[in-house]
C-alpha cells in the first residue's frame, strides 16, 4: 500500500483511474465534479490534500475541451488546498497533434496553390532562381522588382495634402498638437541653417510617399499586399497554449503516453514524462500472432517509421513503409494512387503500427493497399483509439482483420460496436509510473522497450 498519496479521477476515464487505485492499494479520492445549468464546471475536493502527493488522471478523448478545463480546475483546487505536489496524468494528451502548422489532406498548407503555375512564379517545390539582371527579386508581387516601388504607387488618401505628401508628424500630430508642420515639411523649431537640409530630405521622402502599415484611417492599405501561391498563413499553435495552461494552473509534473509528437515535451517548463505503449504491443505480437517472425511490420505513413522500426528491430522482423505521395498540386486519380508501398508484403501477415487513430482514414487506406499487394492478413496495433465520427463503421467495412488498441481512452462503446476490436490495459504502466514518481525512484526502466 502506498501512503500519503491521493489519486483523483476526472470525468473522462473513471474506470482507468479505478484500476490504477486497485493496483496501488489506495482508495480513489472523493471529489464532486459536475456542471451548473449554464454549463460551467463545478469542482469540489472532498478529501484533505494538505501536504499530500496528488495525482489527477484525466484523458483527452471525447469532449476534450470540457475535460481539459476540468483538469485545470482540479489542479488549481488541489494547489489551493495546499497539496505538496500535483501531477497531471494524461493517457491521451489533448491537442498533442497541433504543435506545428496544420496541413490539409493532400499535404499542402491552408493556402491552396493554383492548379497551374507560370514558370516565373514560385511554388512550394520551386528552386529559387539564380540572381541576375532582369530576374524578379520578390515572388510576392507581380512584375515588380522592388517593394518600395510598389508601395510608392499606392494611392493614399490621407498621405496627400494639396498635391504634396504630408510627413509622419503631420499625419498624426496636426492641429493644436505639440508638433506643427508647414507645407514644406519643416518644423518651427528648425534653425535657418538646417532649413534647406530638412527641406531636401523631406521632399525626397515625399516623393516616395508617406505610409504606415498600421494606418487605421486608410484600411485600404491593408489589402494592398495579397498572399501569393506558396505563402503560408500563420495559424494558432494550440499545443504550446495547452502546455502553458497546465503549468499556470499549478501542475508540478505531467505524465503522458505515446505523444504524437515527442517534441511536445519541450513546451513545458516543468518535468514531463512520455511513457511508451510499445511493450504492450510487442507482447501482443509475440503471444497472439502465429509465426510472427515471418510477418511484416508496416508503418502507414513516413511520420511513424521510427516508431514501427523500433518494434521491428527488437523483434527481428521485416519492415515496410507506406509513403504518401503529395507532390501533385492537382489530383485527378483516386486517393489510393497517392499512397505507395515500399517493401514486400506478398503472401505475408502485415502488422500496421501507429500511435493514434481518429477517423481511421489512414489506417484503413493502408490496409486496403497492403491487401492489394497480396497480404494474407492485416492487423492494426494502435496506442490511442479515439475513433471519432464514422471511424467504427469504416473499420468494420475495411480490409482489417484485427484492430488492437489500449484503453487510454474509454473503449467499452467502441468494443460493443466493432467485433474486430481488442483492448489492452495500460493501467499497470501508469500504476508503476505513479508508484515510482511518488517514492522518488527512476522511471527510466519504463522507457526501455527494446
Amino acid at each position: 500500500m502506498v501512503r500519503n498519496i491521493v489519486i483523483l479521477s476526472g470525468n473522462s476515464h473513471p474506470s482507468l483511474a479505478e484500476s490504477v487505485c486497485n493496483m496501488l492499494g489506495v482508495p480513489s479520492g472523493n471529489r464532486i465534479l459536475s456542471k451548473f445549468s449554464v454549463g460551467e464546471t463545478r469542482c469540489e475536493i472532498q478529501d484533505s490534500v494538505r501536504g499530500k502527493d496528488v495525482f489527477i488522471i484525466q484523458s483527452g478523448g471525447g469532449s476534450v475541451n470540457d475535460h481539459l478545463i476540468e483538469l485545470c480546475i482540479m489542479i488549481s483546487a488541489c494547489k489551493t488546498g495546499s497539496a505538496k505536489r500535483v501531477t497531471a496524468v494524461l493517457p491521451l494528451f489533448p491537442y498533442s497533434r497541433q504543435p506545428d502548422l496544420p496541413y490539409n489532406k493532400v499535404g499542402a498548407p491552408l493556402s491552396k496553390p493554383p492548379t497551374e503555375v507560370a514558370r516565373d512564379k514560385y511554388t512550394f517545390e520551386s528552386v529559387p532562381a539564380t540572381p541576375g539582371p532582369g530576374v524578379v527579386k520578390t515572388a510576392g508581387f507581380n512584375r515588380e522588382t522592388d517593394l518600395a516601388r510598389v508601395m510608392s504607387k499606392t494611392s493614399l488618401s490621407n498621405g496627400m495634402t494639396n498635391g504634396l505628401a504630408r510627413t509622419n508628424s503631420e499625419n498624426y500630430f496636426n492641429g493644436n498638437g505639440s508638433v506643427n508642420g508647414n507645407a514644406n515639411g519643416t518644423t518651427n523649431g528648425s534653425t535657418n541653417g538646417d532649413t534647406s537640409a530638412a527641406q531636401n530630405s523631406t521632399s525626397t521622402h515625399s516623393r516616395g510617399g508617406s505610409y504606415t502599415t498600421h494606418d487605421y484611417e486608410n484600411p485600404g492599405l491593408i489589402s494592398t499586399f495579397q498572399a501569393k501561391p506558396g505563402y503560408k498563413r500563420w495559424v494558432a499553435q494550440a499545443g504550446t497554449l495547452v502546455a502553458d495552461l497546465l503549468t499556470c494552473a499549478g501542475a508540478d509534473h505531467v505524465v503522458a503516453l505515446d505523444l504524437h509528437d515527442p517534441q511536445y515535451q519541450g513546451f513545458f517548463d516543468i518535468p514531463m514524462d512520455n511513457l511508451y505503449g510499445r511493450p504492450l504491443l510487442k507482447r501482443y505480437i509475440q503471444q497472439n500472432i502465429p509465426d510472427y517472425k515471418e510477418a511484416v511490420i508496416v508503418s502507414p505513413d513516413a511520420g511513424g517509421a521510427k516508431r514501427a522500426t523500433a518494434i521491428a528491430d527488437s523483434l527481428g522482423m521485416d519492415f515496410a513503409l507506406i509513403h504518401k505521395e503529395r507532390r501533385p498540386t492537382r489530383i485527378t486519380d483516386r486517393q489510393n494512387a497517392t499512397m505507395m508501398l515500399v517493401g514486400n508484403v506478398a503472401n505475408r501477415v502485415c502488422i500496421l503500427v501507429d500511435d493514434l487513430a481518429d477517423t481511421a482514414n489512414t489506417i484503413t487506406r493502408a490496409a486496403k493497399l497492403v491487401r492489394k499487394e497480396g497480404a494474407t492478413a492485416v492487423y492494426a496495433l494502435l496506442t490511442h483509439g479515439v475513433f471519432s465520427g464514422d471511424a467504427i463503421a469504416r473499420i468494420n467495412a475495411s480490409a482489417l482483420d484485427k484492430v488492437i488498441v489500449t484503453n487510454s481512452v474509454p473503449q467499452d462503446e467502441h468494443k460493443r460496436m466493432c467485433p474486430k476490436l481488442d483492448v489492452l490495459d495500460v493501467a499497470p504502466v501508469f500504476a508503476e509510473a505513479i508508484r515510482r514518481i511518488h517514492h522518488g525512484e527512476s522511471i527510466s526502466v519504463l522507457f526501455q522497450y527494446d
Side-chain angles (χ1 to χ4, degrees):
M1 181 177 178
V2 182
R3 299 181 181 275
N4 203 31
I5 186 174
V6 175
I7 297 180
L8 298 172
S9 170
N11 287 332
S12 64
H13 205 342
S15 59
L16 178 63
E18 191 66 29
S19 299
V20 171
C21 292
N22 293 336
M23 293 179 181
L24 294 175
V26 296
S28 179
N30 295 322
R31 88 287 185 275
I32 296 177
L33 197 60
S34 59
K35 283 188 175 183
F36 293 106
S37 59
V38 72
E40 296 179 355
T41 299
R42 175 200 177 196
C43 176
E44 181 180 344
I45 309 298
Q46 296 181 307
D47 290 339
S48 175
V49 296
R50 182 176 296 274
K52 300 290 184 67
D53 198 2
V54 180
F55 292 84
I56 303 175
I57 301 177
Q58 180 83 310
S59 191
S63 302
V64 58
N65 294 327
D66 289 340
H67 297 160
L68 178 60
I69 291 299
E70 287 178 2
L71 176 63
C72 293
I73 294 176
M74 293 178 70
I75 292 174
S76 178
C78 292
K79 294 297 287 187
T80 306
S82 302
K84 180 180 179 181
R85 181 176 62 180
V86 179
T87 301
V89 180
L90 299 104
L92 173 59
F93 201 95
Y95 290 90
S96 61
R97 291 185 291 173
Q98 296 190 39
D100 203 350
L101 296 176
Y103 283 76
N104 60 19
K105 290 184 179 179
V106 297
L110 297 180
S111 297
K112 184 178 180 181
T115 56
E116 294 183 2
V117 182
R119 289 187 174 182
D120 58 340
K121 304 303 177 185
Y122 287 129
T123 64
F124 287 103
E125 298 179 358
S126 299
V127 177
T130 302
V135 179
V136 179
K137 295 181 180 181
T138 303
F141 297 94
N142 291 327
R143 300 178 182 177
E144 295 292 343
T145 59
D146 194 7
L147 177 64
R149 184 183 303 176
V150 177
M151 301 305 296
S152 63
K153 294 181 179 180
T154 305
S155 176
L156 301 180
S157 60
N158 67 338
M160 303 295 293
T161 303
N162 296 329
L164 295 176
R166 296 185 300 179
T167 62
N168 291 335
S169 61
E170 290 174 325
N171 287 337
Y172 295 97
F173 298 100
N174 50 14
N176 296 325
S178 60
V179 178
N180 294 322
N182 57 20
N184 292 328
T186 58
T187 60
N188 294 331
S190 300
T191 62
N192 295 330
D194 297 335
T195 303
S196 60
Q199 289 177 347
N200 292 334
S201 61
T202 306
S203 61
T204 303
H205 178 69
S206 299
R207 286 195 296 270
S210 176
Y211 58 88
T212 173
T213 57
H214 300 282
D215 197 342
Y216 298 106
E217 298 180 1
N218 185 18
L221 179 61
I222 301 176
S223 62
T224 57
F225 178 80
Q226 297 294 334
K228 298 299 179 182
Y231 180 79
K232 288 186 177 180
R233 298 180 186 273
W234 290 105
V235 296
Q237 298 181 6
T240 309
L241 175 62
V242 172
D244 293 339
L245 282 175
L246 295 178
T247 304
C248 294
D252 301 300
H253 196 169
V254 177
V255 179
L257 176 69
D258 268 353
L259 284 172
H260 183 72
D261 290 302
Q263 72 266 23
Y264 207 102
Q265 300 175 77
F267 295 163
F268 288 91
D269 296 329
I270 57 177
M272 201 282 178
D273 292 321
N274 181 27
L275 305 179
Y276 295 104
R278 295 169 191 169
L280 295 174
L281 304 182
K282 286 172 52 179
R283 193 178 307 121
Y284 182 90
I285 294 175
Q286 294 171 328
Q287 296 178 357
N288 296 277
I289 298 180
D291 298 330
Y292 70 91
K293 290 284 188 180
E294 303 299 325
V296 182
I297 299 290
V298 182
S299 175
D301 53 21
K306 185 176 181 181
R307 184 184 308 107
T309 51
I311 296 179
D313 293 342
S314 61
L315 295 177
M317 301 170 62
D318 291 337
F319 169 74
L321 171 67
I322 294 178
H323 170 62
K324 293 181 180 178
E325 183 64 35
R326 291 176 170 176
R327 289 184 181 179
T329 58
R330 179 171 52 191
I331 299 177
T332 58
D333 201 355
R334 295 177 59 87
Q335 284 191 343
N336 282 336
T338 64
M339 302 180 69
M340 298 186 302
L341 178 65
V342 182
N344 182 22
V345 299
N347 301 320
R348 304 175 75 176
V349 175
C350 288
I351 305 172
L352 299 170
V353 177
D354 206 352
D355 66 320
L356 188 145
D358 187 3
T359 60
N361 187 43
T362 299
I363 203 75
T364 52
R365 288 174 57 193
K368 181 179 180 180
L369 180 60
V370 296
R371 279 287 193 181
K372 184 179 178 181
E373 296 295 331
T376 58
V378 183
Y379 293 81
L381 271 66
L382 312 167
T383 304
H384 308 292
V386 179
F387 300 140
S388 62
D390 58 348
I392 295 296
R394 185 178 287 116
I395 290 175
N396 288 332
S398 69
L400 291 167
D401 296 305
K402 275 291 186 186
V403 179
I404 299 93
V405 298
T406 67
N407 61 340
S408 59
V409 295
Q411 299 291 347
D412 296 336
E413 184 67 18
H414 298 157
K415 193 172 182 179
R416 184 185 63 83
M417 300 170 59
C418 182
K420 299 181 180 181
L421 200 62
D422 283 348
V423 181
L424 306 178
D425 189 15
V426 294
V429 178
F430 286 106
E432 181 65 15
I434 290 174
R435 189 193 66 82
R436 288 176 175 270
I437 292 173
H438 176 65
H439 290 295
E441 301 176 9
S442 173
I443 63 172
S444 60
V445 65
L446 301 177
F447 302 149
Q448 298 172 2
Y449 52 87
D450 293 333

